[in-house]
Amino acid sequence: MSINLGYFIRESVVNFRRNWVLSLGAVITIYLSLLLVGVSLATSVVVTNIVKSVEEKVSIQIFIKDGANSSDVTSLQNAVAKDDLVKSVRYISKEEALRIFKEQTMKESPEIVEQLEDNPLPASLDVELKDPRNVEQMVVKIKANPDFLKVCDRPDKPEESLKYSEQTVKKLFALTNIVRVVLAAFIGMLAVVSLIFINNAIRLAIYARRKEIGIMRLVGAGNWFIRTPFLLEGVIQSLIGAALAIATLGVVRAALMPRIGEALPFLPMSVNTTASLQISAVLVVSGVLIGLVGAAFALRRYLKV
Amino acid sequence: MSINLGYFIRESVVNFRRNWVLSLGAVITIYLSLLLVGVSLATSVVVTNIVKSVEEKVSIQIFIKDGANSSDVTSLQNAVAKDDLVKSVRYISKEEALRIFKEQTMKESPEIVEQLEDNPLPASLDVELKDPRNVEQMVVKIKANPDFLKVCDRPDKPEESLKYSEQTVKKLFALTNIVRVVLAAFIGMLAVVSLIFINNAIRLAIYARRKEIGIMRLVGAGNWFIRTPFLLEGVIQSLIGAALAIATLGVVRAALMPRIGEALPFLPMSVNTTASLQISAVLVVSGVLIGLVGAAFALRRYLKV
Amino acid sequence: MVIGRGRETGANGRGFCYHYASGTALPVPADESRACPRPPSGSFLEVMPRMIHMRNVSKYYVEDKPALVDVDVEIQSGEFVFIVGHSGSGKSTLIRLLLRELLPTTGEIVIAGQDVIRMKSWKVPYLRRNIGCVFQDFKLLPNKTAYENIAFALEVIGKSRHVIRTQVPEVLRLVGLEDKIDSYPDELSGGEQQRVSIARAFVNRPPLLLADEPTGNLDPQTSLGIMKLLERINKTGTTVLIATHDREMVDTMRQRVIALEGGRMIRDQDRGVYGYVD
Amino acid sequence: MVIGRGRETGANGRGFCYHYASGTALPVPADESRACPRPPSGSFLEVMPRMIHMRNVSKYYVEDKPALVDVDVEIQSGEFVFIVGHSGSGKSTLIRLLLRELLPTTGEIVIAGQDVIRMKSWKVPYLRRNIGCVFQDFKLLPNKTAYENIAFALEVIGKSRHVIRTQVPEVLRLVGLEDKIDSYPDELSGGEQQRVSIARAFVNRPPLLLADEPTGNLDPQTSLGIMKLLERINKTGTTVLIATHDREMVDTMRQRVIALEGGRMIRDQDRGVYGYVD
Ligand SMILES: Nc1ncnc2c1ncn2[C@@H]1O[C@H](COP(=O)(O)OP(=O)(O)OP(=O)(O)O)[C@@H](O)[C@H]1O
Ligand SMILES: Nc1ncnc2c1ncn2[C@@H]1O[C@H](COP(=O)(O)OP(=O)(O)OP(=O)(O)O)[C@@H](O)[C@H]1O
Ligand SMILES: [Mg+2]
Ligand SMILES: [Mg+2]
């Protein structure tokens, strides 16, 4: 049997046009499903960005006693800066610390700071990490550094000389983990839902054409001869649905994102081009896969000889 | 023509059973759609709770000059407390203010407070509002109070004597508004999506039975005689779908909520029984409505004489 | 092959008011008499001397190629008429016009005084309830058993369950299908489906019975039984119009014959024959 | 009404290798000769002296009521056989068993040396491609035009577009439907649909042709043309098996007749007649 590729393509396109009620139904189903998936993927990108920007604010402060040997401080700073986990280390002098304190913490009643006779704040090293999750590990390393004990402002209680808002970090990670889990669950749920929807649509389409399939059988058409046009049709529908979903997301991104950004300047709400290309690719690939798999499953049920 | 209710009910039930592929498809569609709606409703309840708990922390502070006449203070306090907008007013003395300052703001370096020679903090009245949105309005009212000018700690600049973290409030409201709008948009989108899905499913079902409908026509069946079983079938499917969605949500609520609550003790994540009953009611009603409306629309298209 | 048997059983009077189920009038039980007047009092189609009136009727499905051209037909109440013609000559089109499944391109159609063309669309079901029709492709509801298919025609006009439960088995018996009551159409042979379609057409004793090729899937003996049945139905006053290819039947029955050829009426003959000897 | 015309045009040799389109063998053009050998070389159904062998075949759709009981049929290659019997006597069931649309409850069926019952399911399509079948309910694909319906039967066996484009119009012309090429089934009259079904059955010149009531919706003249066509097809070596109610046709053709009654074979007669005079 010479396989007639032209036949299959013509057949699928013609079927697609003639059974437009069914085709439209499948396209709408796939479109909406992929739209939901796309929206949740985009949401996860945005949330990941926000979480990252918050995480970046996590740093370790090493308080240095007044009058510490400055070469010791420099050697500590260098040692820490060389560590793989560390992104940057910055020295903050007593004066700078007071200025920051006055400007940030005491912003609303700076007169209190002016009352102070001498500067009660210690100098410090501000350590920023590449991945804030490693904060505990880094703290251990710093404590093990011999220079640290020499310069720290409370050699009796070394842990008091290190500030890294342990609780904030833990809370933050708890929160971001929850957000991640919830989002993953949501995307998973939507993916399953979409798969069921699509399988359902294809099942209905095949149900509506079961007579036709029976007739093809009786005329001597083999399994693959019958299946291929259905599969191709599924792929065509998926591609159209995916294209529509991507277009919609693109419009939303172009039209809505900037406004939300304006309204919430303190949150980084952008989805960059790479991410949106990736999302598009995921939608196309998963659309086609879902279409194929859904059609194959549905066909298996109704297309036994 | 004697209308035969029994006939319609029997007919719908029999149809439902015989065309189980179609029925199952519609039930799954409705189930998933309502599940999505239910999840977003529940999310909105949770978010509303969180927002409320945050909003409650917004209050107005009136700073009082050292040595103000205490009867003036009391009369101001009484005047404010009587206002409809106000939930409670609390007097905070200079000593208490310092203690709070030391314990909360300066928690990490209480030694700074101990360096202070005299107490630089003023006494204050803490005004908590019934609805934090009315904060600006209340501020105006307080400023207009004659006692306020007498007791406030900076009669030259009265607005400096009032603190209500203007910016925080504005940011918070911006955020909660955004959250509300996003959630509403999401729920709206899901509702539309569900409606399209359901309409689609019914359209496919009618498409699959168009021959049958044509035959009924030719035998002399009137519009309503043909429509009623379809509508009833739609309602049955909707009810089953809604029941499944409610059951699923109930299971999720019972099984998942407490765990999330444990993981995030600082957020009030519960959905109380009233709210979940309301959500169930919404699902049932909207399910039935969507089923009816969807079927009616689909029938309109295919059931002209 | 039990048309004969069916007739005989009908004749021994089970208390069922099928006048044409036997040559003699049956005593009609009291509780049935209201349900079975023939012609139905207040029927949508009044008994008028002129049942069908078609004037200048043409039907073009596509331009240039008419399915019917300038057809004039007058059929009186109570007539028995055959429509004959080659395959594709327009017989089914004519029947579908009478049932208002189609509207003609030009011309006028009046059935029992009702203008079918200008009829309001909500009235169409009432017209159809008064016309029994045997379709060439049977048009049975695939999700209903033989019993339910026939019962449906009665449910549509709001008959009580009691009436349905007595009449449906009776007509199934008349067409020789008493043992196929609970079979779905795809569990029936071609001829059996056709007979269910015939039973459905006359179960509510319509004043007008249209039949498109009612014996195409039946053997000569069963065909003859069905024809005799249609003749009996006609004797009780029902107007009967049959499109057929069955030369034997037309020649035996010697009734009025209308012949179509390429959509034109070429012959209208009382006590006619099939024609075309070849 | 152009079966005659169709035949004549076929005879003036358009270079189409339908041997049975005319009484005389046509010169077969070089590029077509490969596509049109009859019997097909390496065909799935080898040309065997015994085409159909049924032994002790019974079919029970439901218990107690058999549709076929203990049927033994032997049909040699090249025979022309009628199956007659009342409505519901099992003719369609027999044909569906041969096409392996159904499996028998008991008994064995061998077609051209192939055991149909124990056949692997992936082989079934190959069996069916070698059996042309005219179905009682036509079984045309509703979404395809007359042309496409017939082309489908050729596409299934992998014929080139060129072959399809010459053969399909030719067979449509043979059944008198050259002007309905682009009509969908619901735009065709009953008889026209039946003729499309007939054309589809023989377009790929199968060694075995089954026809279930192929003239039920056709007028006597068109029926005769179709019968003559089937006879010509048979003359080229195709085995033909026809289930029919058409007494006139059976009596005219004088071929072998197998009669069924209530699922049992009650008669098998060479040069037989329809029987049952009533
Ligand atoms: N829906 C349609 N669209 C286009 N042409 C149609 C349609 N229905 C029927 N025709 C054409 O109209 C002509 C008459 O058809 P009709 O069904 O009335 O014939 P008929 O006399 O019933 O034939 P048969 O005996 O074969 O059933 C035929 O040539 C047919 O092809
Ligand atoms: N799928 C089925 N399930 C149950 N019974 C069936 C089924 N198909 C056919 N039958 C029964 O089997 C018997 C034989 O049917 P078959 O279709 O073979 O008859 P036939 O000879 O073709 O009749 P006709 O001339 O009316 O087409 C009939 O009584 C029929 O009701
Ligand atoms: Mg017709
Ligand atoms: Mg049959």
Side-chain angles (χ1 to χ4, degrees):
Chain A
M1 181 182 140
S2 73
I3 282 170
N4 200 333
L5 193 74
Y7 162 77
F8 287 124
I9 294 173
R10 235 182 321 127
E11 193 70 359
S12 342
V13 173
V14 167
N15 263 348
F16 185 83
R17 280 196 287 116
R18 288 204 190 138
N19 294 311
W20 66 268
V21 179
L22 290 179
S23 302
L24 196 71
V27 167
I28 292 176
T29 304
I30 292 168
Y31 164 60
L32 293 179
S33 303
L34 290 182
L35 193 61
L36 292 180
V37 170
V39 166
S40 18
L41 282 180
T43 312
S44 89
V45 167
V46 168
V47 167
T48 308
N49 283 348
I50 294 177
V51 164
K52 266 210 195 108
S53 84
V54 174
E55 279 175 349
E56 266 162 18
K57 287 169 190 155
V58 174
S59 65
I60 305 173
Q61 275 183 292
I62 307 171
F63 295 111
I64 298 183
K65 67 177 170 214
D66 297 2
N69 184 327
S70 82
S71 74
D72 286 347
V73 173
T74 316
S75 102
L76 176 62
Q77 180 171 7
N78 289 344
V80 171
K82 264 188 291 183
D83 197 290
D84 278 348
L85 302 174
V86 172
K87 197 158 135 195
S88 69
V89 183
R90 200 160 67 91
Y91 178 74
I92 292 167
S93 66
K94 276 180 77 74
E95 294 70 41
E96 208 177 341
L98 187 66
R99 192 175 50 72
I100 293 172
F101 179 70
K102 188 173 158 188
E103 280 170 9
Q104 291 187 354
T105 318
M106 293 286 101
K107 193 169 48 183
E108 281 151 10
S109 34
E111 66 281 5
I112 295 179
V113 176
E114 276 145 29
Q115 281 189 353
L116 293 175
E117 281 168 359
D118 58 12
N119 184 346
L121 296 175
S124 66
L125 286 175
D126 251 36
V127 184
E128 207 177 319
L129 297 180
K130 282 179 188 150
D131 183 345
R133 252 164 287 231
N134 297 325
V135 82
E136 303 271 2
Q137 204 182 332
M138 195 60 217
V139 165
V140 172
K141 283 190 184 175
I142 293 173
K143 280 186 187 158
N145 190 309
D147 286 331
F148 170 67
L149 273 183
K150 281 193 218 151
V151 303
C152 73
D153 82 336
R154 286 196 186 175
D156 48 328
K157 291 198 222 151
E159 54 283 355
E160 292 277 303
S161 301
L162 273 174
K163 198 179 110 193
Y164 58 97
S165 49
E166 210 168 343
Q167 283 187 318
T168 316
V169 170
K170 280 197 180 141
K171 263 191 200 166
L172 186 67
F173 289 154
L175 184 63
T176 58
N177 276 342
I178 288 280
V179 169
R180 283 210 180 96
V181 167
V182 167
L183 258 187
F186 199 63
I187 292 177
M189 185 183 111
L190 282 179
V192 171
V193 167
S194 311
L195 220 131
I196 297 175
F197 271 132
I198 290 170
N199 185 285
N200 211 13
I202 294 170
R203 212 167 43 135
L204 287 182
I206 290 180
Y207 178 80
R209 289 207 229 152
R210 64 202 184 287
K211 284 234 165 106
E212 236 178 299
I213 294 172
I215 294 173
M216 291 183 178
R217 281 259 123 85
L218 288 177
V219 175
N223 275 335
W224 285 109
F225 197 83
I226 295 175
R227 276 177 193 159
T228 311
F230 277 99
L231 291 178
L232 282 185
E233 217 183 312
V235 171
I236 294 179
Q237 292 164 349
S238 300
L239 284 179
I240 295 179
L244 289 177
I246 290 171
T248 310
L249 287 176
V251 169
V252 167
R253 184 177 163 235
L256 276 188
M257 277 296 182
R259 291 204 204 152
I260 296 181
E262 269 168 37
L264 288 177
F266 49 96
L267 290 181
M269 289 285 282
S270 75
V271 178
N272 62 29
T273 313
T274 327
S276 64
L277 281 183
Q278 281 170 347
I279 290 177
S280 305
V282 167
L283 291 191
V284 168
V285 170
S286 63
V288 169
L289 270 185
I290 288 175
L292 271 179
V293 172
F297 261 92
L299 287 170
R300 251 177 76 101
R301 286 213 44 196
Y302 290 91
L303 285 190
K304 306 234 172 88
V305 172
Chain B
M1 181 183 141
S2 73
I3 283 168
N4 199 332
L5 194 74
Y7 162 78
F8 288 124
I9 293 174
R10 236 182 321 127
E11 195 69 0
S12 342
V13 173
V14 167
N15 263 349
F16 185 83
R17 280 196 287 117
R18 286 201 192 140
N19 295 310
W20 66 268
V21 178
L22 290 179
S23 303
L24 196 71
V27 167
I28 292 176
T29 304
I30 291 167
Y31 164 59
L32 294 178
S33 304
L34 289 182
L35 194 60
L36 292 180
V37 170
V39 166
S40 17
L41 283 181
T43 312
S44 90
V45 167
V46 168
V47 168
T48 308
N49 283 348
I50 294 177
V51 165
K52 266 212 194 107
S53 84
V54 174
E55 278 175 348
E56 266 162 18
K57 287 168 190 155
V58 175
S59 64
I60 304 173
Q61 273 183 291
I62 307 171
F63 296 111
I64 298 183
K65 69 176 169 213
D66 296 0
N69 185 330
S70 81
S71 73
D72 286 348
V73 174
T74 316
S75 100
L76 176 61
Q77 181 171 7
N78 290 344
V80 171
K82 263 188 290 180
D83 197 288
D84 278 348
L85 303 174
V86 172
K87 197 158 135 198
S88 68
V89 183
R90 199 158 68 91
Y91 178 73
I92 292 169
S93 66
K94 277 180 77 74
E95 295 71 42
E96 210 178 340
L98 189 65
R99 193 176 49 75
I100 294 172
F101 179 70
K102 188 172 156 190
E103 281 170 11
Q104 291 188 351
T105 318
M106 293 285 101
K107 191 168 51 185
E108 281 150 12
S109 34
E111 65 281 4
I112 296 179
V113 177
E114 276 145 30
Q115 282 189 350
L116 294 174
E117 280 169 1
D118 58 11
N119 185 346
L121 296 174
S124 66
L125 287 174
D126 252 35
V127 183
E128 207 177 320
L129 297 179
K130 282 178 188 151
D131 183 348
R133 253 164 286 232
N134 297 324
V135 82
E136 304 271 3
Q137 203 182 331
M138 194 59 218
V139 164
V140 172
K141 283 191 185 175
I142 293 174
K143 281 186 190 159
N145 189 310
D147 285 330
F148 169 66
L149 273 182
K150 283 191 218 156
V151 304
C152 75
D153 82 337
R154 287 196 186 175
D156 47 327
K157 290 199 222 149
E159 53 284 353
E160 293 275 304
S161 301
L162 273 175
K163 197 177 110 192
Y164 58 97
S165 50
E166 208 167 344
Q167 283 187 320
T168 315
V169 170
K170 280 198 178 142
K171 263 191 199 167
L172 187 68
F173 288 154
L175 185 63
T176 57
N177 276 343
I178 289 281
V179 169
R180 285 212 178 93
V181 167
V182 167
L183 259 187
F186 199 62
I187 292 177
M189 186 182 110
L190 283 179
V192 170
V193 167
S194 311
L195 221 131
I196 297 176
F197 272 131
I198 290 170
N199 185 284
N200 212 13
I202 293 169
R203 211 167 44 136
L204 287 182
I206 290 180
Y207 177 80
R209 289 207 231 151
R210 64 200 183 289
K211 284 233 165 106
E212 238 177 296
I213 294 173
I215 295 173
M216 290 181 178
R217 281 258 124 84
L218 287 178
V219 174
N223 275 334
W224 285 109
F225 197 83
I226 295 175
R227 276 177 191 159
T228 310
F230 278 99
L231 290 177
L232 282 185
E233 218 184 312
V235 171
I236 295 178
Q237 293 164 347
S238 301
L239 285 179
I240 295 179
L244 289 176
I246 291 170
T248 310
L249 287 175
V251 168
V252 167
R253 182 176 164 237
L256 277 188
M257 277 295 181
R259 291 204 204 153
I260 297 181
E262 270 169 38
L264 289 176
F266 48 95
L267 289 181
M269 289 285 281
S270 74
V271 178
N272 61 30
T273 313
T274 327
S276 64
L277 281 183
Q278 281 169 348
I279 291 178
S280 305
V282 168
L283 291 191
V284 169
V285 170
S286 62
V288 169
L289 269 185
I290 288 174
L292 270 180
V293 172
F297 261 92
L299 286 169
R300 250 179 76 103
R301 285 213 45 196
Y302 290 91
L303 286 190
K304 307 236 171 86
V305 172
Chain C
M1 307 350 63
V2 280
I3 293 292
R5 210 179 347 122
R7 198 187 336 159
E8 284 149 28
T9 340
N12 64 29
R14 280 226 222 126
F16 177 70
C17 70
Y18 256 97
H19 305 275
Y20 39 77
S22 113
T24 53
L26 293 172
V28 177
D31 67 321
E32 291 267 342
S33 58
R34 200 184 33 79
C36 306
R38 277 254 41 243
S41 64
S43 164
F44 187 76
L45 298 188
E46 296 297 327
V47 179
M48 310 262 289
R50 199 171 64 179
M51 180 58 86
I52 295 175
H53 166 82
M54 298 176 90
R55 235 179 87 86
N56 265 326
V57 171
S58 298
K59 176 68 189 178
Y60 289 77
Y61 289 108
V62 286
E63 277 186 64
D64 311 336
K65 282 193 231 152
L68 282 181
V69 193
D70 280 343
V71 172
D72 291 298
V73 176
E74 291 278 322
I75 295 178
Q76 305 305 315
S77 224
E79 274 196 275
F80 191 112
V81 182
F82 284 115
I83 301 180
V84 301
H86 288 308
S87 170
S89 57
K91 304 179 294 299
S92 299
T93 303
L94 194 144
I95 284 180
R96 292 165 72 191
L97 287 173
L98 292 177
L99 203 60
R100 204 182 181 277
E101 193 183 339
L102 297 173
L103 284 174
T105 314
T106 60
E108 63 184 55
I109 303 177
V110 179
I111 299 184
Q114 305 256 347
D115 185 331
V116 172
I117 295 159
R118 275 177 218 93
M119 182 175 274
K120 297 246 166 52
S121 67
W122 63 265
K123 270 190 166 182
V124 171
Y126 297 90
L127 171 75
R128 291 183 182 152
R129 285 176 211 171
N130 283 278
I131 303 180
C133 189
V134 184
F135 299 94
Q136 193 167 9
D137 54 355
F138 318 149
K139 293 210 194 295
L140 299 177
L141 294 166
N143 287 317
K144 289 186 191 294
T145 63
Y147 178 94
E148 292 166 344
N149 260 288
I150 297 172
F152 186 74
L154 293 175
E155 275 154 355
V156 158
I157 55 173
K159 289 278 190 229
S160 75
R161 293 185 77 176
H162 173 73
V163 173
I164 292 173
R165 252 183 293 198
T166 49
Q167 295 198 3
V168 175
E170 180 69 20
V171 291
L172 275 171
R173 203 172 46 73
L174 283 171
V175 296
L177 289 179
E178 56 270 52
D179 53 346
K180 297 286 177 190
I181 271 188
D182 292 324
S183 299
Y184 289 94
D186 64 2
E187 295 168 2
L188 292 172
S189 80
E192 287 161 355
Q193 290 178 44
Q194 191 155 44
R195 283 179 279 162
V196 174
S197 180
I198 293 168
R200 180 180 61 186
F202 70 80
V203 67
N204 60 352
R205 282 150 298 126
L208 174 60
L209 186 68
L210 308 174
D212 196 354
E213 213 94 57
T215 58
N217 288 272
L218 297 176
D219 53 291
Q221 189 180 331
T222 313
S223 297
L224 195 75
I226 293 292
M227 269 305 151
K228 289 264 143 68
L229 181 62
L230 292 176
E231 206 175 24
R232 279 205 308 282
I233 292 171
N234 172 247
K235 290 255 167 64
T236 66
T238 294
T239 312
V240 176
L241 185 68
I242 303 176
T244 189
H245 292 311
D246 195 329
R247 185 209 307 253
E248 212 172 317
M249 192 200 310
V250 175
D251 290 352
T252 321
M253 302 279 285
R254 285 278 164 172
Q255 299 277 9
R256 177 172 167 196
V257 174
I258 294 175
L260 295 176
E261 172 82 73
R264 288 174 195 281
M265 243 181 76
I266 52 164
R267 185 155 57 96
D268 185 350
Q269 193 174 14
D270 274 350
R271 309 187 57 73
V273 292
Y274 189 87
Y276 309 113
V277 195
D278 45 353
Chain D
M1 300 339 53
V2 280
I3 292 294
R5 210 179 347 125
R7 197 189 335 162
E8 284 148 30
T9 339
N12 64 27
R14 277 226 223 130
F16 178 71
C17 71
Y18 255 96
H19 307 274
Y20 40 78
S22 113
T24 52
L26 294 171
V28 178
D31 68 320
E32 291 267 345
S33 59
R34 199 184 36 77
C36 307
R38 276 255 41 245
S41 62
S43 164
F44 187 77
L45 298 188
E46 296 298 327
V47 180
M48 311 261 289
R50 201 173 63 180
M51 179 58 85
I52 295 174
H53 167 80
M54 297 177 91
R55 234 178 87 85
N56 266 326
V57 172
S58 298
K59 175 68 189 178
Y60 289 77
Y61 289 107
V62 286
E63 277 185 64
D64 311 337
K65 283 191 230 154
L68 282 181
V69 193
D70 281 343
V71 171
D72 291 297
V73 176
E74 292 276 323
I75 295 178
Q76 306 304 314
S77 223
E79 273 195 276
F80 191 111
V81 182
F82 285 115
I83 301 180
V84 300
H86 287 308
S87 171
S89 58
K91 304 179 293 298
S92 300
T93 302
L94 194 144
I95 284 180
R96 291 166 73 191
L97 287 173
L98 293 176
L99 203 60
R100 205 184 180 277
E101 193 183 339
L102 297 173
L103 284 173
T105 314
T106 61
E108 63 184 55
I109 303 178
V110 179
I111 298 184
Q114 304 256 347
D115 185 331
V116 172
I117 293 158
R118 276 177 218 93
M119 181 174 275
K120 298 245 167 50
S121 68
W122 65 265
K123 270 189 165 181
V124 171
Y126 297 91
L127 172 75
R128 290 185 183 151
R129 284 175 211 171
N130 283 277
I131 303 180
C133 189
V134 184
F135 299 93
Q136 191 167 8
D137 54 356
F138 319 149
K139 291 207 193 299
L140 299 178
L141 294 166
N143 286 317
K144 289 186 189 295
T145 63
Y147 178 96
E148 291 166 345
N149 260 289
I150 298 172
F152 186 75
L154 293 175
E155 275 154 356
V156 158
I157 56 173
K159 289 278 191 229
S160 74
R161 293 186 76 176
H162 173 74
V163 172
I164 291 173
R165 251 185 294 199
T166 49
Q167 294 197 5
V168 175
E170 181 69 18
V171 290
L172 274 172
R173 203 171 46 71
L174 283 171
V175 297
L177 289 179
E178 58 270 52
D179 53 345
K180 297 289 175 186
I181 270 189
D182 292 324
S183 298
Y184 289 95
D186 64 2
E187 296 167 3
L188 293 172
S189 82
E192 288 161 352
Q193 288 179 45
Q194 191 156 45
R195 283 179 281 162
V196 174
S197 179
I198 293 167
R200 179 179 64 185
F202 70 80
V203 67
N204 61 352
R205 282 151 296 125
L208 175 59
L209 187 67
L210 308 175
D212 197 352
E213 213 94 56
T215 57
N217 288 271
L218 296 175
D219 53 290
Q221 189 180 333
T222 314
S223 296
L224 196 75
I226 292 292
M227 269 305 152
K228 289 265 142 68
L229 181 63
L230 292 176
E231 204 173 25
R232 281 204 308 282
I233 292 171
N234 172 247
K235 290 255 167 63
T236 66
T238 295
T239 312
V240 176
L241 185 67
I242 302 176
T244 188
H245 292 310
D246 195 330
R247 183 209 308 255
E248 210 172 320
M249 192 200 309
V250 175
D251 290 352
T252 321
M253 303 279 284
R254 284 279 163 171
Q255 298 278 10
R256 179 173 166 194
V257 174
I258 294 175
L260 296 176
E261 171 82 71
R264 288 175 194 280
M265 244 180 76
I266 53 165
R267 185 156 58 97
D268 185 351
Q269 191 176 16
D270 275 350
R271 307 187 58 74
V273 291
Y274 190 89
Y276 310 110
V277 194
D278 46 351

